[in-house]
Amino acid sequence: MKKFKVVILFIWALFASCTQVDFKVVATASSPTKREIKAKLKLLNKPSVKTIKSEDGDIIDCVDIYKQSAFDHPALKDHKLQKIPDFLIESKNSSNLQTKSIVFQTWQKNGSCPEGTIPIRRIRTEDLSRAASLNLFGRKPIMHFMKSTNNTNSNYPIVNGSFAYVPENRTKAFLVTVGYSYIGAEAEINVWNPRVDLPDDFTTAQIWLKTGNGPQYFESIESGWQVNPKLYGDRSTRFFAHWTTDSYKSTGCFDVVCPGFVQVGQVVLGGAITPISYSYHTQKEIPVGMYWDNSGNWWLKVNNHIVGYWPAKLLSGLSRSAKSVEWGGQVYSPMLKKNTPHTRTAMGSGEAADGRWGNACYMRNLRIKDYSRNLKYPEYVSTRAEEPYCYNVINEAKYGQEPILYFGGPGFKPPYCP
Ligand SMILES: *[C@@H]1O[C@H](CO)[C@@H](O)[C@H](O)[C@H]1NC(C)=O
Ligand SMILES: *[C@@H]1O[C@H](CO)[C@@H](O)[C@H](O)[C@H]1NC(C)=O
Ligand SMILES: *[C@@H]1O[C@H](CO)[C@@H](O)[C@H](O)[C@H]1NC(C)=O
Ligand SMILES: *[C@@H]1O[C@H](CO)[C@@H](O)[C@H](O)[C@H]1NC(C)=O
Ligand SMILES: *[C@@H]1O[C@H](CO)[C@@H](O)[C@H](O)[C@H]1NC(C)=O
């Protein structure tokens, strides 16, 4: 009788282990295994010299500047770290740049990183497990286009012959300039904390610098703020950067969650921004700029601090110049355009552009730099909203005054945005 029981146990154990193996195989195909997550975390989180616990729950690792993950990129194996851009070296009073040192990131209340190190937001297991796959972690989703013979559902500009290419699952309200080679762009971006509705949704207020061949093949570097619970695990407004050299297909990512962006300054990419704006209160803004230098690197600056750069070796056409600049907001969601009900994820402040100062999200002091090297207001600008009844855009350009760009909206709002 005892022997019989043992045999049954043995068979059960064999069966159980088989199902477990089976399960593991399935798990590899869809969601990452523990071992894969551990390996990825080891790659992402470099050893820290000092650790800062931010009151918002973030852990900030101070990492040796020469040991940052950028150098894991194959194109950057022999890359010589550049600590300051050459356009600052050229200018005599570069030291002035760092004087306006106001706290704009939450973690800064709890410490700073020692010299020779850079602050990096630690990625945790739960961050990775929210991603569709480890490979897709921290990247803007791939763009797919609905080919539409009608331009009615949106006034999207991408028209090829009689076809309009309408991007799926994302919507923008923005101002664009084209016509020159751009080697810099900046703006002061008003900071809000808009609602994010569905688990995959995110919302941004940002600047794009792009080059490439049409809507489906481009390189871009981008920066601004976003609310992105899937990436960050909360609904805070966070400073971000993003790059891609193949229209989000396989290269690039947000912040420094993949090798590429070389960080040199004391700003945390993906760090929460504080304080933010409220209706009818003092408006908060962050100046964001991206500037090309003579070696083809693109430098990112926020709040007068150098963050770091996208090395020329990472880029192709962009290492020479950008062919368009865009300023505005983007909402990513599976529930947009033809899919109803429309997502309630908001853009900007959540108010339409008509709300103007104190209500709607704005950008001001929009500037571009061309080969003349002077920062100036772009010559040709046009505004576009893909779903103007959900999120709109107004460029308020009164004669003799600095133009102000307003954009945003609440998303779902029947009957206009059903
Ligand atoms: C930079 O230096 C020049 C010449 O000394 C001076 O005129 C200018 O005001 C300075 N700029 C700033 C921002 O301090
Ligand atoms: C961070 O700093 C704030 C303000 O100084 C303080 O109240 C809080 O306790 C600190 N948090 C940690 C984790 O040290
Ligand atoms: C074009 O728009 C009209 C009116 O909105 C609609 O009835 C028609 O189905 C659309 N055609 C295509 C091909 O999308
Ligand atoms: C426009 O359409 C033609 C023919 O369908 C295609 O070859 C070309 O790549 C398209 N251009 C863009 C920018 O999408
Ligand atoms: C858009 O969202 C739907 C629903 O989640 C998804 O099936 C589809 O693959 C998405 N398309 C793109 C291009 O991401």
Side-chain angles (χ1 to χ4, degrees), residues 20-319:
Q20 208 170 358
V21 168
D22 253 15
F23 175 74
K24 262 193 183 147
V25 170
V26 172
T28 316
S30 54
S31 58
T33 63
K34 273 186 186 157
R35 194 188 304 162
E36 285 167 327
I37 287 183
K38 214 173 152 194
K40 177 96 177 180
L41 287 176
K42 199 170 168 219
L43 215 66
L44 287 171
N45 300 319
K46 300 298 181 194
S48 64
V49 173
K50 177 184 169 185
T51 294
I52 299 163
K53 262 191 103 170
S54 174
E55 65 183 28
D56 64 356
D58 276 7
I59 297 172
I60 306 301
D61 287 316
C62 302
V63 172
D64 183 330
I65 192 166
Y66 292 101
K67 292 184 180 151
Q68 60 182 303
S69 66
F71 301 112
D72 292 343
H73 195 288
L76 304 178
K77 275 274 167 332
D78 306 311
H79 181 73
K80 194 168 170 293
L81 182 93
Q82 202 178 328
K83 285 208 171 153
I84 33 173
D86 58 11
F87 54 81
L88 277 187
I89 299 166
E90 280 166 16
S91 111
K92 295 254 155 44
N93 29 19
S94 61
S95 58
N96 285 340
L97 269 164
Q98 301 284 339
T99 53
K100 204 177 140 196
S101 171
I102 36 171
V103 169
F104 91 104
Q105 290 197 301
T106 309
W107 72 276
Q108 291 171 315
K109 294 180 192 170
N110 295 94
S112 61
C113 280
E115 219 180 305
T117 69
I118 46 165
I120 294 179
R121 183 176 178 271
R122 188 182 295 176
I123 306 298
R124 290 177 263 196
T125 308
E126 55 268 32
D127 298 322
L128 295 182
S129 40
R130 280 190 307 272
S133 78
L134 286 186
N135 198 29
L136 293 175
F137 171 71
R139 288 169 45 187
K140 274 204 176 179
I142 292 173
M143 267 174 114
H144 285 277
F145 293 88
M146 306 183 264
K147 209 173 176 184
S148 155
T149 47
N150 260 338
N151 224 357
T152 49
N153 115 341
S154 78
N155 59 353
Y156 199 71
I158 300 167
V159 178
N160 186 359
S162 55
F163 294 110
Y165 286 87
V166 183
E168 261 183 55
N169 296 1
R170 57 185 92 204
T171 186
K172 274 166 84 173
F174 63 109
L175 178 139
V176 58
T177 186
V178 292
Y180 287 93
S181 292
Y182 304 99
I183 57 167
E186 61 178 34
E188 263 126 63
I189 308 179
N190 188 201
V191 184
W192 291 82
N193 184 239
R195 170 195 179 124
V196 171
D197 185 15
L198 306 167
D200 286 349
D201 291 10
F202 63 80
T203 180
T204 76
Q206 63 168 109
I207 306 173
W208 290 260
L209 280 138
K210 285 185 182 173
T211 189
N213 195 7
Q216 303 179 67
Y217 311 97
F218 63 86
E219 282 177 76
S220 77
I221 51 169
E222 311 172 13
S223 184
W225 58 255
Q226 66 169 337
V227 182
N228 189 335
K230 189 162 185 176
L231 176 57
Y232 300 117
D234 68 9
R235 282 155 203 282
S236 316
T237 303
R238 291 168 180 273
F239 174 66
F240 82 91
H242 191 283
W243 65 278
T244 179
T245 57
D246 62 351
S247 30
Y248 312 123
K249 286 190 189 80
S250 65
T251 57
C253 60
F254 281 113
D255 308 336
V256 284
V257 303
C258 68
F261 186 87
V262 179
Q263 192 175 330
V264 301
Q266 296 297 315
V267 174
V268 169
L269 284 157
I273 300 173
T274 187
I276 57 161
S277 309
Y278 296 93
S279 298
Y280 303 115
H281 283 73
T282 316
Q283 295 303 297
K284 306 295 178 190
E285 52 187 37
I286 49 166
V288 173
M290 290 169 269
Y291 315 90
W292 180 89
D293 77 5
N294 289 325
S295 44
N297 302 331
W298 277 93
W299 290 81
L300 174 62
K301 206 172 98 178
V302 62
N303 235 4
N304 292 311
H305 293 282
I306 295 290
V307 184
Y309 61 94
W310 291 279
K313 273 193 190 147
L314 217 61
L315 312 165
S316 56
L318 257 187
S319 67

Side-chain angles (χ1 to χ4, degrees), residues 334-405:
M335 296 309 286
L336 298 171
K337 298 179 179 172
K338 286 180 179 162
N339 300 331
T340 52
H342 196 282
T343 181
R344 290 167 195 269
T345 294
M347 183 194 290
S349 68
E351 291 281 334
D354 313 68
R356 302 290 205 292
W357 192 270
N359 277 305
C361 186
Y362 66 82
M363 290 196 197
R364 60 175 183 168
N365 295 318
L366 274 61
R367 293 288 181 273
I368 55 96
K369 207 186 214 188
D370 57 21
Y371 286 122
S372 77
R373 306 258 161 177
N374 297 317
L375 283 166
K376 53 191 167 194
Y377 192 81
E379 198 165 331
Y380 309 111
V381 298
S382 58
T383 54
R384 288 159 192 176
E386 291 175 40
E387 296 179 292
Y389 301 109
C390 306
Y391 313 102
N392 69 348
V393 54
I394 295 171
N395 191 38
E396 193 169 74
K398 288 182 185 156
Y399 181 77
Q401 285 181 20
E402 177 70 37
I404 301 181
L405 177 71

